[in-house]
């Protein structure tokens, strides 16, 4: 699995809250090199399977008011403090009081993701997306805010779907998010690159990773490891090694970095001894994972070229891959 990165939503129009709404919540893990990543309000199954769609008896709520606003802000404060269980209880109350409030559902989904409740989180995100789409179909009125961040909702659901065994659907969400964003967005690009990887579209993944890196070039980020791995898969071995050196310098003790670097030492440099030494730097218990092909394919989702090269290294050190 891969980390799901969720962006927060606020019911205010202020610039400060807008910035807060774009803050990334790393809900399942801190980096892409790490191994990962309630009941829903009763309703009628909507047009999108898994959503909660309530009868459209009133306009969609983009901004909470009255008691719902107070509760929603309380939930946001609890969430920012890390009290996720309490925040989830508050957001659930909000969805009951104002079932057509978009961000009650989206923020509930955020807390569900953090707590590992991925199926119900997807239902919450889908409900928020359906409400946002419904709002955008309503006639615009002067001074009345519309749902202006559908791309964020799609980003969150797409990120979640990558962690919930839905790579094809995840990619669809992230393609839509990118189109709606209409300009390069590093977080969307990172997530779409990963989704493209999971669907076997390595060239497209490489383009997305490269653009995302160009937007964050002054700081080595964990997703650079994935970019290096993809470059190796498509045959850009020098590009893969250049990135890997910077990743290894930034995260020298990460087991996946050591394993990947060992692959490149063999596959790019042809240095079998250096590759074996690097691989054996991984602590024994963690190193066993990299001899397990199911771990490589299903957990950290390495592409075929990396798995094939690593198998040469593991066999050489007497820890051949298990099927």
């Amino acid at each position: 699995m891969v980390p799901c990165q969720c962006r927060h939503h606020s019911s205010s129009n202020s610039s400060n809250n807008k910035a807060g709404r774009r803050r990334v919540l790393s809900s399942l893990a801190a980096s892409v090199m790490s191994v990962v990543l309630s009941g829903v309000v009763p309703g009628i199954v909507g047009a999108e399977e898994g959503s909660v769609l309530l009868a459209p008896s009133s306009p969609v709520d983009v901004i909470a008011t009255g008691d719902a606003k107070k509760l929603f802000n309380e939930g946001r404060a609890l969430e920012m403090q890390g009290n996720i269980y309490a925040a989830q209880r508050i957001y659930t109350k909000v969805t009951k009081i104002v079932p057509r409030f978009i961000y009650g559902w989206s923020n509930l989904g955020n807390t569900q993701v953090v707590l590992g409740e991925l199926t119900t989180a997807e239902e919450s995100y889908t409900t928020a997306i359906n409400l946002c789409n419904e709002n955008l179909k309503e006639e615009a009125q002067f001074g009345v805010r519309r749902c202006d961040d559908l791309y964020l909702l799609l980003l969150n659901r797409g990120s979640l779907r990558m962690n919930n065994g839905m790579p094809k659907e995840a990619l669809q969400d992230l393609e839509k998010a990118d189109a709606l964003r209409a300009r390069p967005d590093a977080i969307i690009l990172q997530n779409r690159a990963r989704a493209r990887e999971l669907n076997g579209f390595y060239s497209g993944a490489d383009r997305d990773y490269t653009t995302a890196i160009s937007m964050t070039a002054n700081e080595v980020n964990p997703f650079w490891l994935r970019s290096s791995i993809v470059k190796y898969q498509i045959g850009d071995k020098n590009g893969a090694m250049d990135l890997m050196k910077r990743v290894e310098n930034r995260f020298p003790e990460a087991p996946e970095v050591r394993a990947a670097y060992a692959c490149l030492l063999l596959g790019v440099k042809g240095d079998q001894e250096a590759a074996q030494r690097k691989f054996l730097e991984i602590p024994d218990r963690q190193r066993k994972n990299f001899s397990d092909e199911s771990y490589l394919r299903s957990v950290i989702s390495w592409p075929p070229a990396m798995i094939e090269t690593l198998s040469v290294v593991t066999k050489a050190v007497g820890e051949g891959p298990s099927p």
Side-chain angles (χ1 to χ4, degrees):
M1 292 187 184
V2 293
C4 173
Q5 297 179 317
C6 308
R7 288 180 171 178
H8 291 279
H9 294 83
S10 159
S11 60
S12 170
N13 268 333
S14 72
S15 59
N16 289 338
N17 280 324
K18 199 78 169 179
R21 194 165 71 219
R22 289 180 47 80
R23 187 177 295 111
V24 175
L25 171 64
S26 296
S27 55
L28 295 183
S31 75
V32 291
M33 72 181 66
S34 303
V35 178
V36 178
L37 212 178
S38 126
V40 177
V41 178
I44 304 169
V45 176
E48 275 198 74
E49 185 177 355
S51 68
V52 176
L53 182 62
L54 294 110
S57 56
S58 61
V60 172
D61 293 297
V62 180
I63 300 175
T65 58
D67 291 341
K69 180 179 180 179
K70 293 179 182 178
L71 278 174
F72 182 72
N73 288 336
E74 181 182 345
R76 291 182 62 226
L78 289 166
E79 189 177 0
M80 295 302 293
Q81 294 166 12
N83 195 343
I84 304 302
Y85 285 103
Q88 185 182 87
R89 288 195 294 271
I90 295 295
Y91 290 141
T92 299
K93 289 181 182 178
V94 171
T95 61
K96 291 180 178 179
I97 295 171
V98 193
R100 292 173 62 74
F101 174 42
I102 297 168
Y103 303 116
W105 288 105
S106 65
N107 281 29
L108 175 60
N110 289 348
T111 63
Q112 290 165 333
V113 167
V114 176
L115 297 176
E117 302 166 1
L118 301 190
T119 299
T120 50
E122 191 199 355
E123 293 171 354
S124 295
Y125 284 150
T126 298
T127 300
I129 288 168
N130 288 344
L131 288 169
C132 184
N133 279 321
E134 184 180 336
N135 172 258
L136 293 174
K137 292 177 182 177
E138 295 174 357
E139 184 176 352
Q141 299 181 40
F142 180 76
V144 177
R145 182 182 160 190
R146 293 167 66 81
C147 181
D148 58 2
D149 49 11
L150 178 58
Y151 82 94
L152 283 178
L153 302 174
L154 289 164
L155 168 60
N156 284 354
R157 188 176 68 175
S159 301
L160 178 151
R161 284 176 162 179
M162 282 194 290
N163 288 275
N164 206 26
M166 304 173 68
K168 181 178 179 181
E169 293 83 355
L171 182 55
Q172 291 171 348
D173 277 350
L174 294 164
E175 295 282 15
K176 291 177 184 176
D178 179 70
L180 288 168
R181 187 65 170 139
R183 59 186 173 87
D185 183 297
I187 299 300
I188 293 176
L189 288 168
Q190 292 170 40
N191 280 277
R192 187 175 68 175
R194 192 71 179 104
R196 285 177 164 176
E197 265 194 86
L198 293 174
N199 284 280
F201 304 139
Y202 296 111
S203 294
D206 179 57
R207 289 193 297 272
D208 281 350
Y209 280 134
T210 298
T211 304
I213 286 173
S214 73
M215 299 172 72
T216 59
N218 292 328
E219 180 181 356
V220 177
N221 286 289
F223 77 88
W224 289 30
L225 173 65
R226 300 304 313 186
S227 179
S228 175
I229 288 172
V230 166
K231 285 184 181 299
Y232 186 78
Q233 174 65 31
I234 65 174
D236 181 3
K237 293 185 177 182
N238 290 331
M241 181 57 84
D242 289 344
L243 275 177
M244 185 61 67
K245 287 178 179 177
R246 297 186 66 182
V247 172
E248 198 270 342
N249 185 61
R250 176 68 176 82
F251 306 104
E253 297 183 359
E256 188 177 356
V257 171
R258 285 173 168 168
Y261 198 17
C263 288
L264 269 58
L265 286 169
L266 176 60
V268 179
K269 298 296 185 181
D271 193 335
Q272 176 95 33
E273 291 185 4
Q276 291 175 210
R277 287 196 302 271
K278 178 59 65 176
F279 183 70
L280 290 173
E281 289 179 6
I282 304 172
D284 292 350
R285 181 177 296 182
Q286 295 170 321
R287 194 170 66 242
K288 291 179 181 179
N289 289 329
F290 295 94
S291 297
D292 182 349
E293 190 166 321
S294 65
Y295 173 83
L296 297 173
R297 293 186 184 280
S298 303
V299 179
I300 60 176
S301 303
W302 273 19
M306 289 290 289
I307 294 175
E308 182 180 351
T309 302
L310 185 61
S311 70
V312 176
V313 178
T314 57
K315 287 176 182 177
V317 298
E319 298 179 3
S322 59

